[in-house]
Amino acid sequence: MTMYSDNSSSIVRLNIGGKKFCTTVDTLTQREPHSMLAAMFSGRHTVCKDSEKGYVFVDRDGKHFRHVLNWLRDGVVSNLSDLECSELLREAEYYQLLGLVDGITEVLNKRKEDEEMDTELTRTDIIKCVQSDKVRLRGVNLSGLDLSKLDLSFVDFSYACLKNVFFSRANLHCAKFRDVDAENTIFHNATLRECEFTGANLRGALLAGANLQNACLVDCSFCGADLRSAHLQTADLTNANLEGANLEGANLKGAKLTNANLKGANLQRAYLRQVNLRGTHLEGAKLDGANMLGAIR
């Protein structure tokens, strides 16, 4: 056990979830004096160091800690993707870095405002469009729009930018989403039966409770997507990337999973009865409570 002195130039060695960092007491305490890190190294508390090299261990993911240190050194929020910003925001909240929390929130809000300015159509425009017999919105930028609860069945969204669009409870039966960019899009409880999503980017998308029966999901990326309790009966997930996706309680009866990547996915309590899992990558997947009676492996 060690208590750090008031010497601001004292070197601090940190082990954040296995990643090693070196900084100074001054960096950890000056910019955010009311943070957890400042309290740890203020000299008022004892911290536990390993006996060999003197590293202080913190049980957090070290992926973004260099961005935390850069903020403490320079007061600048790193240029990251929306997903990485969200991950960094969780770390900032944990370390009680209120200035960094405000900085990240400001960056995300500014991006959302910019996306809304770049959007080519409004919700009202879409409502007018869907009153016609055949609607094609191919390649259109609709990012950030609220299209929840609308009847958008048979609409062709192929190649469109649908980032952060709200499709919650929308009827999208037989809609086309070929090669769309739908990262972080909200499809919560949406009807997506018989939709075509070939090659779509659905990383981080929320599809919990969505009805995707008979949908074509070939070559889709669902990395980190939320598919809890989704209805995926007889859906075609050939070559789909579902690494780290949450499929807890999802119904995959009759789904095609040839060469699908389910590494690290959460399949707890999922329905996989009589599903052919040969050629499916399941390394590190959570299968507790999954119904796999008759599944082919």
Side-chain angles (χ1 to χ4, degrees):
M1 302 292 284
T2 301
M3 183 173 288
Y4 276 87
S5 70
D6 292 331
N7 183 358
S8 63
S9 63
S10 294
I11 299 297
V12 178
R13 293 178 174 82
L14 296 167
N15 180 346
I16 311 297
K19 290 185 180 293
K20 305 291 181 64
F21 301 89
C22 285
T23 185
T24 65
V25 170
D26 189 52
T27 295
L28 295 171
T29 59
Q30 293 303 303
R31 187 173 301 281
E32 299 261 17
H34 303 296
S35 70
M36 186 186 86
L37 291 170
M40 284 176 65
F41 298 99
S42 64
R44 301 190 304 271
H45 304 282
T46 55
V47 292
C48 185
K49 297 164 59 175
D50 70 47
S51 56
E52 291 185 7
K53 296 189 178 179
Y55 281 92
V56 177
F57 180 74
V58 180
D59 190 14
R60 295 293 291 180
D61 188 343
K63 177 182 177 182
H64 295 301
F65 194 73
R66 69 185 184 92
H67 302 304
V68 169
L69 287 180
N70 287 339
W71 162 260
L72 291 172
R73 290 167 180 147
D74 307 321
V76 177
V77 178
S78 299
N79 186 15
L80 303 170
S81 68
D82 286 356
L83 179 60
E84 290 171 324
C85 277
S86 297
E87 293 171 349
L88 180 58
L89 182 61
R90 285 197 293 272
E91 297 308 300
E93 290 170 342
Y94 174 79
Y95 293 117
Q96 299 171 27
L97 298 164
L98 302 184
L100 181 54
V101 169
D102 289 343
I104 297 168
T105 303
E106 184 178 339
V107 167
L108 291 173
N109 288 341
K110 179 66 166 56
R111 287 181 186 174
K112 187 172 182 180
E113 289 173 7
D114 291 344
E115 284 179 354
E116 289 173 353
M117 289 177 65
D118 292 338
T119 300
E120 298 175 64
L121 297 172
T122 66
R123 179 182 173 92
T124 302
D125 293 330
I126 301 299
I127 292 170
K128 290 178 181 177
C129 285
V130 297
Q131 292 171 356
S132 61
D133 291 335
K134 190 172 183 179
V135 183
R136 299 179 71 183
L137 296 169
R138 295 163 67 92
V140 176
N141 182 2
L142 302 175
S143 56
L145 281 187
D146 180 1
L147 301 178
S148 59
K149 302 180 182 178
L150 295 181
D151 184 355
L152 300 166
S153 52
F154 296 95
V155 174
D156 188 352
F157 293 99
S158 298
Y159 314 108
C161 180
L162 302 175
K163 283 186 175 181
N164 301 303
V165 172
F166 285 81
F167 283 117
S168 296
R169 301 184 185 278
N171 178 12
L172 292 152
H173 176 233
C174 285
K176 293 183 179 180
F177 294 92
R178 177 181 283 271
D179 290 315
V180 298
D181 186 354
E183 188 168 344
N184 297 320
T185 295
I186 310 298
F187 290 100
H188 181 248
N189 286 333
T191 298
L192 294 157
R193 291 180 64 247
E194 300 177 64
C195 285
E196 182 191 356
F197 279 92
T198 304
N201 174 16
L202 290 152
R203 296 172 67 91
L206 175 59
L207 291 137
N211 185 343
L212 287 150
Q213 294 181 56
N214 299 312
C216 179
L217 305 168
V218 176
D219 293 323
C220 285
S221 176
F222 289 96
C223 293
D226 187 345
L227 289 143
R228 287 174 296 169
S229 302
H231 303 276
L232 290 155
Q233 297 96 310
T234 63
D236 189 349
L237 286 151
T238 302
N239 295 324
N241 188 355
L242 293 127
E243 186 167 357
N246 189 349
L247 291 125
E248 183 175 354
N251 188 341
L252 290 142
K253 181 180 180 181
K256 295 179 183 177
L257 292 166
T258 307
N259 202 38
N261 179 7
L262 286 156
K263 293 178 182 177
N266 181 1
L267 288 157
Q268 295 178 99
R269 292 180 290 283
Y271 190 95
L272 293 160
R273 192 168 180 172
Q274 297 182 333
V275 173
N276 188 347
L277 296 171
R278 283 181 183 165
T280 303
H281 306 282
L282 290 163
E283 296 89 335
K286 297 177 182 177
L287 293 161
D288 302 336
N291 186 340
M292 300 182 69
L293 185 64
I296 303 169
R297 301 186 69 178

